[in-house]
Amino acid sequence: MTDKIIAADVIVCSPTRNFVTLKVTTADGVVGYGDATLNGRELSVASYLRDHVAPLLIGRDPARIEDTWQYLYRGVYWRRGPVTMAAIGAVDVALWDIKGKTVGQPVYQLLGGAVRDRILAYTHATGWETAELIDQVVATRERGFLAIRAQAGVPGLDNVYGVHKGGGEGYEPAGRGVAPVEEVWDTDAYIRHIPGVLEQVREHVGPELKLLHDAHHRLTPQQAARLGKALEDVDLFWLEDVTPAENQDVLRLVRNHTTTPLAIGEVFNTIWDAQHLITEQLIDFIRVAIVHAGGISHVRKLFALAEVYQVRCGPHGPSDVSPISLGAGLHLGMATPNFAIQEYMGYDPLVSEVFPHAWSFDSGYLTPGDAPGVGVGFDEVLAARYPYEPAYLPVARRLDGTMTDW
């Protein structure tokens, strides 16, 4: 008799930050976990899953992963968007987890086996002043990282996303509360300041360390082109999210004026969001998060399209997606030839207790481990001690008070 799904439970918890976890159980007692976390909109995805998707899973064959993906995406009128795709992504990863556990194999083996031995990882270093940033980059390299994203403060501003004046605070931009913090932003000051900062970092650390930088979507195409050109001698591994790309053609201006490698896509949800960017080779790296782009089944298709056009993959992997998503990304990365790097901010020890995992970091690289399935568990008893708390990413206004892009 074919195994069937008998339960699909949605659990929201906040062990230092909010996570949404989908637990799918089969009649044979196999449990698969998926991550459905959407920073600042967690309850929207939880409701979508609990009220609309979970009831549709009961009685379905968990082995029919692709059919279930098609059913949840193509079989409904309303498509795409971060809430829908995060929900579908959670189901997809949970079913891959069940598949791996059923056959006793890690997911990467089911995707064709390993094409590499380990996955290059990068993490974040921040400092308001240049000297502080250099110290943080050096300290991060001493922890074993071979690739580091460097972010600095901007003179004249009181806040810069993810960077704290005076140091002493970790990178956690989401603030607890019922509304987001509003920051003031000055693009011109940023463009004047950041090239010199990154030049000094490069001069201090030498040519071997891979340096990355994130503009957080806050530039116009012309400003992005200027910044990319100004940073060419810094030899960045990539310049990330220089401008919003809902209009994919705007990246052509940036591409035509700089050879700095461009990475974009962490807010993308489908292959169609990135199709033109990839087929026209307007970017060098595609950044979709596994959970927010519909899970392993859909992202592997996007990565396969990117491979044809020599675009490499570097999935979004901040601490605001759970260790389940990171595990899923690592399994996909092990089996994907054009996978380049994985973002890895790390997790608070409490998060690792709630989500015990087989993946590990060592000497600059991540490996998914060989546990069956995705290799990430979930301690429901411990999670229940940490209920949801409202938290939001900050928003930004220009000097004249108008809203700017996040």
Side-chain angles (χ1 to χ4, degrees):
M1 181 179 176
T2 303
D3 195 15
K4 298 292 185 182
I5 295 172
I6 62 169
D9 301 301
V10 181
I11 303 146
V12 182
C13 64
S14 188
T16 72
R17 62 155 306 103
N18 294 317
F19 297 107
V20 180
T21 303
L22 175 67
K23 175 187 176 184
V24 178
T25 307
T26 74
D28 287 345
V30 181
V31 173
Y33 294 109
D35 176 30
T37 306
L38 187 63
N39 197 335
R41 297 294 184 269
E42 296 92 350
L43 299 185
S44 296
V45 188
S47 174
Y48 190 96
L49 276 170
R50 183 182 297 115
D51 301 329
H52 303 290
V53 174
L56 305 179
L57 299 178
I58 306 305
R60 294 188 64 85
D61 182 353
R64 297 184 63 169
I65 301 174
E66 181 64 27
D67 182 64
T68 298
W69 195 97
Q70 297 288 330
Y71 175 74
L72 294 175
Y73 182 85
R74 300 183 70 186
V76 297
Y77 185 71
W78 301 108
R79 302 185 182 189
R80 305 170 71 173
V83 173
T84 295
M85 297 307 286
I88 295 175
V91 174
D92 186 76
V93 170
L95 296 186
W96 278 106
D97 194 27
I98 289 171
K99 175 83 80 173
K101 290 172 178 174
T102 300
V103 301
Q105 292 289 332
V107 166
Y108 75 83
Q109 294 287 16
L110 309 182
L111 299 174
V115 298
R116 56 177 48 83
D117 299 321
R118 52 190 181 169
I119 293 170
L120 181 66
Y122 79 89
T123 195
H124 302 179
T126 64
W128 191 267
E129 303 294 340
T130 304
E132 179 189 0
L133 173 59
I134 290 173
D135 288 344
Q136 290 299 314
V137 170
V138 171
T140 303
R141 180 170 60 178
E142 290 174 351
R143 290 166 47 206
F145 283 94
L146 306 173
I148 300 170
R149 197 190 81 169
Q151 306 292 131
V154 175
L157 299 182
D158 294 324
N159 300 286
V160 170
Y161 175 78
V163 186
H164 300 285
K165 278 188 175 180
E169 295 185 64
Y171 183 91
E172 177 46 76
R176 300 286 185 178
V178 296
V181 171
E182 295 194 8
E183 300 177 350
V184 176
W185 177 251
D186 184 347
T187 299
D188 291 331
Y190 163 77
I191 293 176
R192 288 193 300 268
H193 181 64
I194 203 65
V197 171
L198 295 176
E199 286 168 7
Q200 291 182 63
V201 174
R202 172 59 76 198
E203 182 179 357
H204 188 89
V205 301
E208 297 300 322
L209 183 69
K210 293 176 174 59
L211 285 178
L212 303 82
H213 180 71
D214 190 351
H216 293 302
H217 305 100
R218 292 184 177 178
L219 312 182
T220 66
Q222 187 270 346
Q223 291 168 335
R226 284 174 52 202
L227 180 62
K229 190 169 184 178
L231 290 173
E232 286 181 358
D233 289 342
V234 176
D235 189 26
L236 290 178
F237 183 84
W238 77 34
L239 176 60
E240 180 181 340
D241 287 339
V242 288
T243 192
E246 287 93 343
N247 177 0
Q248 298 182 32
D249 273 331
V250 302
L251 267 294
R252 192 178 308 282
L253 174 66
V254 187
R255 169 62 84 205
N256 287 344
H257 287 85
T258 181
T259 58
T260 296
L262 303 175
I264 207 162
E266 69 180 53
V267 298
F268 290 176
N269 308 128
T270 71
I271 193 170
W272 297 280
D273 296 329
Q275 180 181 2
H276 188 52
L277 294 174
I278 290 170
T279 59
E280 296 296 317
Q281 295 180 303
L282 301 179
I283 58 174
D284 301 280
F285 298 90
I286 181 64
R287 293 267 298 127
V288 296
I290 306 303
V291 56
H292 301 149
I296 292 170
S297 296
H298 187 61
V299 174
R300 70 190 299 211
K301 296 173 185 176
L302 193 161
F303 286 179
L305 175 67
E307 182 184 4
V308 175
Y309 293 92
Q310 297 180 305
V311 173
R312 295 193 287 168
C313 314
H316 190 44
S319 57
D320 59 15
V321 297
S322 89
I324 298 170
S325 278
L326 181 62
L330 294 177
H331 282 281
L332 184 57
M334 286 295 285
T336 301
N338 56 323
F339 199 99
I341 197 168
Q342 174 64 56
E343 183 176 16
Y344 175 57
M345 290 175 59
Y347 293 96
D348 186 278
L350 178 58
V351 176
S352 294
E353 288 185 50
V354 173
F355 297 93
H357 48 78
W359 56 256
S360 61
F361 172 81
D362 183 57
S363 302
Y365 293 89
L366 287 159
T367 51
D370 285 318
V374 173
V376 182
F378 182 62
D379 187 331
E380 292 186 56
V381 174
L382 182 58
R385 300 178 191 171
Y386 303 97
Y388 168 82
E389 298 182 47
Y392 294 93
L393 295 171
V395 299
R397 295 183 182 274
R398 301 182 185 93
L399 295 177
D400 66 358
T402 55
M403 293 298 302
T404 190
D405 292 300
W406 183 89

